[in-house]
Amino acid sequence: MGVHRVKRCIFCGREPTGVQRNFEHIIPTWLVNEADLAHRKMTVALPKRPITVNMNRIGTKVCVSCNNNHAAIEGGARSAFDALKSGEALTDNEIRNLLDWMDKVRVGMWLWLYECLQQGRGGSPKFWIQNRIAQKDRLLVLRRYPKGANMRGLAFWGLAGYFIGLPSAFGLLANNIALISVSSEFFVARHIRTLNIKRVLGGDQEPDYFDVQLGGNSGPLFNLLSGATVFGQCIMPKDSFSEFGIPVVSESTAHKGLSEGEIVSLNNRLVESPVSSKIVPEFKGNVAANVTLMELDVIRAFQYLLADVLRAGTPRLLTPATTTMSNVAESQAEASMHELAIRYKYEQLTGLKFR
C-alpha cells in the first residue's frame, strides 16, 4: 500500500518548503543496517488498518536545519549502543543519549503513524519531537542477550491502538539489544519519593497541570517483570527538586522552566539502587521467555499510564486519526487482550503459570 507522508516537519511542526528539506529516517539507517533490514518490510497491526512499509522508508521530509540540529542525538545514541553491545559500563552521558534517542524514536513513530491514519482528514498533532525530548520524567529499560543468528532483526513493542492515544511507552529489540522507553509527568519522582499527585485536566486547548505535594498517598506504583537493567531521570520544575529532596543537575536547555535530575539506577520496583557500575550484564537464561517479559513490561506500562489518566477523571484520550477522542476503557481492553496473549506465550515457553 502507498503511505501518505507527513507534510509537516516532525521535529518542529512547520511545513518544509522548497529544497530545504531532508528525509529523516525515524528508524535510523545505521540501525536498519545493523539489524540487516535494508530490504525487509514491517507491518503494524493497528485497528482496522494494518500498515506495511519498507523498514528503511519509515520517515518523512523534515527541515534541513532541524535535521542538522538533531543529528547529534543519532551520533550519541549510536556510540552508546556500541558500548552497550560490547558490555562496557555506560556513562551518565551515554545513558542520557539513549534516553534522548528513545524519546525521539518513540514520538517520531507516533507522528508517522498519526499521518498514516489521518488520510487527509485534517487536524494537527498537539506536539512534535522537539517538544517531547527530555520534557518529562523518563525511564530507560535495557537488556543484553547473547549474540546469535536467531537474534538478528528488529521488533517493536507497544505499537497498537492505545499507542496512538497515549504515546508514552515504546520498546524495541534490535538484534540482541532490548530497549524500553517510558515517559510521563512525575513517573520516576513518584517512585523514588512519596508524592501525592493530583492531575488537573486542562481541556481541549489547555494542557493538564499537576498539584504535587511531598508525602501522603502516591497511589499505585509500577514494577517491571523482566529483571532488566533500569535507569531513570526526573525532569520537572526546579522548585520541585528542592521540595522533594531530589538532586538537580542543570536547567533544561530545551524547555523553559524545567530542570533535569541526575541519572539514577533503579531496581525493578523503580526504587533507587546503589549500583556503582552501570554495566548491562548479558542475560543467561531462557532468552525467548525473557524477551516476552520485556514486551509484557511495555504493555503493563501502558496499562499503568492509562489507569493514571482515568484516575484524573477523564474517560478519553486523544485519537489523532479522527481528531476526536477515544475511550480509555477501550484502550485498556485492547491492552488487556495483548497482555493475555503475551502471558499465554510466556507460559508456553516456560511451562510456568502467572500468579
Side-chain angles (χ1 to χ4, degrees):
M1 56 163 280
V3 176
H4 183 56
R5 296 298 177 190
V6 178
K7 295 181 180 179
R8 295 181 179 274
C9 172
I10 58 174
F11 289 111
C12 68
R14 295 188 295 269
E15 185 175 354
T17 58
V19 296
Q20 293 301 305
R21 51 187 180 175
N22 285 345
F23 187 85
E24 166 66 17
H25 293 88
I26 297 171
I27 306 302
T29 302
W30 64 265
L31 189 59
V32 169
N33 293 335
E34 178 94 22
D36 192 25
L37 294 170
H39 304 291
R40 302 187 193 180
K41 295 183 178 182
M42 67 164 282
T43 298
V44 182
L46 292 171
K48 300 181 182 179
R49 187 184 173 191
I51 297 172
T52 302
V53 66
N54 289 329
M55 293 293 295
N56 61 352
R57 298 305 298 170
I58 299 177
T60 182
K61 296 288 186 179
V62 297
C63 304
V64 170
S65 58
C66 287
N67 188 267
N68 292 338
N69 290 340
H70 290 84
I73 293 179
E74 289 296 337
R78 186 171 187 177
S79 177
F81 193 83
D82 287 342
L84 181 58
K85 288 191 305 179
S86 301
E88 301 172 18
L90 298 174
T91 65
D92 283 356
N93 189 55
E94 287 171 331
I95 295 169
R96 193 188 190 284
N97 287 339
L98 288 173
L99 283 163
D100 285 349
W101 182 71
M102 287 295 284
D103 279 348
K104 173 179 176 285
V105 173
R106 189 186 71 251
V107 177
M109 287 297 293
W110 176 72
L111 289 166
W112 177 75
L113 291 170
Y114 179 118
E115 179 62 17
C116 289
L117 294 174
Q118 275 291 78
Q119 295 184 306
R121 290 191 177 106
S124 179
K126 284 190 172 182
F127 56 82
W128 307 90
I129 289 176
Q130 70 181 24
N131 306 130
R132 283 296 185 266
I133 295 178
Q135 196 260 351
K136 302 178 180 181
D137 276 18
R138 50 200 187 153
L139 202 68
L140 179 66
V141 184
L142 302 174
R143 180 64 96 184
R144 183 166 63 95
Y145 299 104
K147 297 178 182 178
N150 62 326
M151 296 300 291
R152 294 287 290 173
L154 191 63
F156 299 100
W157 300 323
L159 296 186
Y162 41 79
F163 179 75
I164 302 300
L166 187 69
S168 298
F170 171 75
L172 62 86
L173 177 65
N175 292 342
N176 64 314
I177 303 297
L179 307 95
I180 294 173
S181 166
V182 183
S183 181
S184 186
E185 294 90 345
F186 302 102
F187 183 76
V188 175
R190 78 175 72 176
H191 286 85
I192 64 177
R193 296 293 186 271
T194 302
L195 302 181
N196 185 5
I197 301 175
K198 181 181 179 181
R199 182 172 188 160
V200 182
L201 300 177
D204 291 338
Q205 302 300 321
E206 297 294 330
D208 295 354
Y209 63 95
F210 296 82
D211 179 11
V212 186
Q213 298 178 350
L214 184 65
N217 179 15
S218 293
L221 298 177
F222 183 68
N223 68 286
L224 296 157
L225 300 177
S226 58
T229 302
V230 188
F231 301 108
Q233 183 185 35
C234 294
I235 300 177
M236 51 192 177
K238 184 177 180 179
D239 291 346
S240 296
F241 282 95
S242 57
E243 181 182 353
F244 305 153
I246 298 174
V248 63
V249 172
S250 65
E251 292 186 8
S252 172
T253 58
H255 306 290
K256 185 177 179 180
L258 296 180
S259 292
E260 299 185 12
E262 61 187 359
I263 302 297
V264 292
S265 297
L266 305 172
N267 64 21
N268 275 243
R269 293 176 55 245
L270 306 192
V271 174
E272 284 189 82
S273 177
V275 176
S276 57
S277 174
K278 293 183 170 68
I279 292 177
V280 178
E282 185 176 88
F283 180 74
K284 300 296 186 181
N286 185 329
V287 172
N290 193 260
V291 167
T292 303
L293 287 181
M294 289 287 285
E295 183 177 5
L296 184 57
D297 280 339
V298 176
I299 308 306
R300 293 178 67 252
F302 273 113
Q303 291 174 315
Y304 179 87
L305 295 173
L306 286 166
D308 211 26
V309 173
L310 202 55
R311 281 192 295 272
T314 176
R316 299 186 297 171
L317 292 169
L318 177 65
T319 303
T322 59
T323 65
T324 60
M325 308 295 276
S326 68
N327 193 289
V328 174
E330 293 175 358
S331 295
Q332 288 177 316
E334 182 188 18
S336 294
M337 286 192 299
H338 287 181
E339 180 190 11
L340 288 173
I342 296 169
R343 282 175 175 256
Y344 177 77
K345 181 179 177 180
Y346 179 83
E347 291 173 354
Q348 294 301 301
L349 288 167
T350 64
L352 301 174
K353 287 284 186 181
F354 270 97
R355 291 184 291 176

